[in-house]
């Protein structure tokens, strides 16, 4: 996961460097045109070229600023709903983890074979739901990575840490006598 974070950080740095280079290029072009107009009057072709360059620059800068503003607005709008969804997801994960622990203990103490098979099937279903919950947490990491990391660091009930769920088929282990 750190590789992805480093990659996005590198990408942001490269984007900033490109923006600075473009800004410096536009500044030098502006200085050049100011120098030309100060030393002599511009021809109509040079005037049109100057207008086109500044028009294109203005449109590009407006588009880029609008895109960044919309991204930030969307991110800030989604964060409260994402946090609420993460709380519900955390609660669901904890509940399923407790159910899995109870099913495993019931399966270990079950007297009849039929009850063991039923417990194993229920345990397999609960384990699948826990895995789905873990996958949903990873999906939310794109939207609110700080909250997901905080949630994964927080100790869960019954000493079950998020992401530590064994992805095994309970039916196979309990089917053999």
């Amino acid at each position: 996961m750190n590789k992805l974070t480093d990659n996005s950080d590198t990408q942001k740095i490269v984007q900033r460097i490109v923006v600075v280079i473009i800004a410096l290029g536009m500044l030098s072009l502006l200085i050049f045109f100011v120098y030309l107009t100060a030393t002599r009057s511009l021809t109509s072709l040079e005037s049109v070229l100057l207008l086109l360059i500044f028009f294109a620059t203005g449109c590009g800068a407006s588009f880029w600023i609008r895109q960044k503003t919309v991204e930030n607005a969307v991110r800030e709008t989604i964060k409260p709903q994402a946090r609420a969804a993460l709380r519900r997801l955390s609660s669901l994960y904890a509940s399923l983890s407790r159910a899995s622990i109870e099913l495993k203990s019931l399966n270990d103490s079950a007297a009849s074979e039929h009850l063991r098979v039923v417990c194993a099937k229920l345990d397999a279903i609960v384990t699948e739901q826990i895995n789905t919950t873990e996958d949903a947490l990873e999906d939310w990491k794109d939207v609110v990575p700080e909250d997901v990391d905080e949630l994964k660091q927080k100790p869960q009930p019954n000493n079950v840490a998020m992401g530590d769920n064994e992805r095994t088929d309970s039916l196979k282990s309990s089917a053999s006598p």
Side-chain angles (χ1 to χ4, degrees), residues 124-160:
I125 292 170
V126 169
T127 301
E128 287 177 22
Q129 295 301 313
I130 290 173
N131 294 339
T132 303
T133 307
E134 288 175 353
D135 293 340
L137 279 172
E138 286 301 315
D139 293 342
W140 277 110
K141 196 167 190 166
D142 295 338
V143 180
V144 281
E146 314 87 31
D147 294 332
V148 173
D149 290 339
E150 178 183 322
L151 190 63
K152 284 187 174 186
Q153 298 301 325
K154 187 171 77 169
Q156 296 298 316
N158 298 324
N159 296 326
V160 177

Side-chain angles (χ1 to χ4, degrees), residues 23-72:
L24 289 175
M26 292 308 299
L27 182 63
S28 64
L29 192 60
L30 176 66
I31 291 170
F32 174 70
F33 274 110
V34 167
Y35 171 75
L36 279 179
T37 55
T39 58
R40 64 179 178 85
S41 48
L42 295 176
T43 65
S44 50
L45 180 62
E46 290 172 336
S47 295
V48 169
L49 179 62
L50 178 64
L51 287 173
L52 285 175
I53 288 173
F54 287 125
F55 176 73
T57 303
C59 288
S62 297
F63 178 76
W64 182 74
I65 289 171
R66 181 197 58 85
Q67 183 180 8
K68 293 300 178 186
T69 303
V70 168
E71 285 175 5
N72 289 338

